[in-house]
Amino acid sequence: MARSTSSRVPRIVEANFVGSSPKPEHLPDPVGVEIAFCGRSNVGKSSLLNALMLRRNLARTSNTPGCTRQIAFFQARASDGTVVRLVDLPGYGYARRSKSERISWGNLVEEYLLARPTLAAVVALVDVRRGVEADDEDLLNLVTAPARVPRPPLGVLLVATKLDKLPRSAHTPALQRIRRQSQRPTLGFSVKDPDTHDRLWQELRRTIGFTTTAG
Ligand code: GTP
Ligand code: MG
């Protein structure tokens, strides 16, 4: 497939798994710049991370909702030498979780989002067919709550996943609906469309203050 925007985004030349933890006290040391990806179970977080890192299965994906229960950290280095950490948060909204699991999910995600000094941006994923639901609003409210550590304000971006599940003519109306709901910048994404991967990298780099043009 033609990659019309690829020349404007430095390519990922190396990606690796840094570590993961189900507990806030055992996270990898906060170093560098982190971008966190969150959303409902099965929305496509791990698939999107693999697409961004050009790796087939570095972040584990599954047909079974609730697959990722830990916070997982990856590091990606681009051809211009910039390094960023991509963070896969466990999904929410999975009905078959016990109450205690939901509480530990809440503690883990809240502690990470509000107290991580290296967190620079949050990407909230919603299924393009479902739009922004009550659980997503809760997450967005959490992201905009005051941080418990000194750090610059978080960049927040919406990504509508699984764009390929809609006919092309429905893409723009669906994205406009999500923009209206969220009042935030919103990009469409499909694992099957590399142009959407490049556009997301471009927006992420802009959000965290990296230059967007290849050197
Ligand atoms: P949890 O870890 O359970 O929170 O899920 P997740 O958000 O990480 O979702 P995951 O990436 O595991 O994807 C869930 C399912 O959706 C898998 O079967 C993926 O193949 C599928 N999927 C993800 N992204 C896309 C996409 O862009 N298009 C299509 N058609 N399927 C996708
Ligand atoms: Mg996952």
Side-chain angles (χ1 to χ4, degrees):
M1 196 178 307
R3 304 189 65 155
S4 58
T5 55
S6 60
S7 60
R8 289 149 64 197
V9 192
R11 253 182 77 77
I12 296 305
V13 291
E14 191 186 339
N16 56 281
F17 174 69
V18 175
S20 66
S21 172
K23 297 217 172 104
E25 56 273 25
H26 297 144
L27 299 178
D29 289 343
V31 291
V33 179
E34 289 174 359
I35 304 173
F37 296 79
C38 48
R40 177 174 288 280
S41 263
N42 214 41
V43 70
K45 296 175 294 297
S46 304
S47 304
L48 175 144
L49 286 173
N50 286 325
L52 286 183
M53 295 188 289
L54 303 176
R55 293 285 292 271
R56 196 172 288 275
N57 209 14
L58 193 56
R60 272 194 284 154
T61 60
S62 166
N63 282 315
T64 315
C67 171
T68 313
R69 293 187 187 205
Q70 311 202 335
I71 299 190
F73 293 73
F74 303 90
Q75 181 160 293
R77 185 165 60 85
S79 57
D80 65 345
T82 50
V83 173
V84 63
R85 287 197 167 180
L86 306 178
V87 181
D88 192 0
L89 295 184
Y92 48 80
Y94 176 49
R96 284 165 57 197
R97 283 251 200 280
S98 68
K99 192 169 174 204
S100 69
E101 277 181 308
R102 263 178 253 164
I103 290 170
S104 66
W105 178 92
N107 291 340
L108 176 65
V109 170
E110 185 174 320
E111 177 68 15
Y112 174 78
L113 290 175
L114 298 185
R116 187 76 169 170
T118 37
L119 182 61
V122 173
V123 180
L125 279 66
V126 296
D127 186 311
V128 71
R129 299 163 297 177
R130 297 177 69 144
V132 180
E133 299 177 286
D135 285 349
D136 306 311
E137 305 261 17
D138 290 346
L139 192 277
L140 287 168
N141 287 336
L142 183 59
V143 164
T144 44
R148 296 173 188 156
V149 291
R151 70 177 180 204
L154 294 178
V156 182
L157 178 67
L158 261 277
V159 165
T161 62
K162 307 192 186 183
L163 209 54
D164 58 279
K165 299 265 192 187
L166 290 181
R168 196 159 276 278
S169 60
H171 290 186
T172 302
L175 292 173
Q176 275 169 350
R177 182 172 76 99
I178 294 169
R179 264 179 215 123
R180 267 199 311 277
Q181 285 181 313
S182 68
Q183 300 286 310
R184 293 186 183 278
T186 303
L187 291 180
F189 191 91
S190 164
V191 288
K192 299 180 181 173
D193 180 357
D195 275 350
T196 65
H197 311 174
D198 288 344
R199 279 197 287 273
L200 178 55
W201 261 128
Q202 230 174 330
E203 190 57 29
L204 292 176
R205 291 180 63 93
R206 205 184 57 72
T207 304
I208 61 175
F210 288 1
T211 55
T212 52
T213 41

